[in-house]
Amino acid sequence: MKKIFLLSVMFLSTFTIAQKVGGDKDAHGCIGSAGYTYSQIKNDCVRVFEQKIKLNEVKPKGSSTSMTAVIFSKDMKKAEIFLPEQNKGSLILTRLGKGKAWKNGNYILVPYKKTGYQLKKDNIVIYQ
């Protein structure tokens, strides 16, 4: 009887653990443990590290550097950035006039060199 009870407990605990893996879906159905986060612009789950435009942290605070990604709307009027310190999803920046700068509060995204971008906060470059 003890063996049956022990086997039952082991089976149930294994079943419970199996249910938790991948069970961390957010409100949009994105699975964070698989690297997915919700993109407001794409209206879908994305992996930040798979995006075409990636920016690296300029002055890392610790021993490792972080990165962010940029996703533009089709009309290029909005830019979405995924900051590690932005725990509540992404930040949407809006293009200023017809220029090539996008802004939201004290964040501004501007072209850098021929193919890159810089993200500034309070006019200090934090990612490029």
Side-chain angles (χ1 to χ4, degrees):
M1 185 70 174
K2 288 181 182 181
K3 287 182 182 180
I4 294 173
F5 177 74
L6 184 60
L7 288 174
S8 298
V9 169
M10 288 174 49
F11 174 75
L12 288 174
S13 63
T14 304
F15 182 72
T16 303
I17 291 169
Q19 283 184 326
K20 289 181 182 179
V21 174
D24 61 333
K25 290 183 180 180
D26 65 11
H28 302 283
C30 302
I31 301 173
S33 63
Y36 287 96
T37 188
Y38 184 72
S39 167
Q40 298 175 59
I41 286 182
K42 289 191 173 187
N43 196 27
D44 200 3
C45 301
V46 298
R47 287 181 165 167
V48 173
F49 55 87
E50 291 179 342
Q51 300 311 303
K52 290 180 184 178
I53 303 171
K54 294 181 214 105
L55 309 176
N56 292 314
E57 188 176 18
V58 173
K59 292 183 181 178
K61 294 171 184 76
S63 60
S64 63
T65 61
S66 62
M67 58 86 60
T68 186
V70 181
I71 296 176
F72 288 105
S73 61
K74 289 181 183 179
D75 61 5
M76 297 294 286
K77 290 183 179 180
K78 305 262 184 207
E80 182 174 20
I81 55 173
F82 301 85
L83 297 171
E85 63 268 15
Q86 194 78 17
N87 293 332
K88 296 181 180 179
S90 60
L91 184 65
I92 301 292
L93 290 84
T94 305
R95 189 169 71 191
L96 301 172
K98 294 183 181 181
K100 295 239 182 223
W102 295 261
K103 187 171 183 170
N104 181 333
N106 48 352
Y107 289 96
I108 187 163
L109 181 71
V110 294
Y112 176 68
K113 297 191 177 182
K114 291 184 180 182
T115 59
Y117 293 90
Q118 284 185 331
L119 179 64
K120 298 178 183 182
K121 181 179 180 184
D122 298 324
N123 211 24
I124 297 170
V125 178
I126 56 173
Y127 288 90
Q128 68 182 20

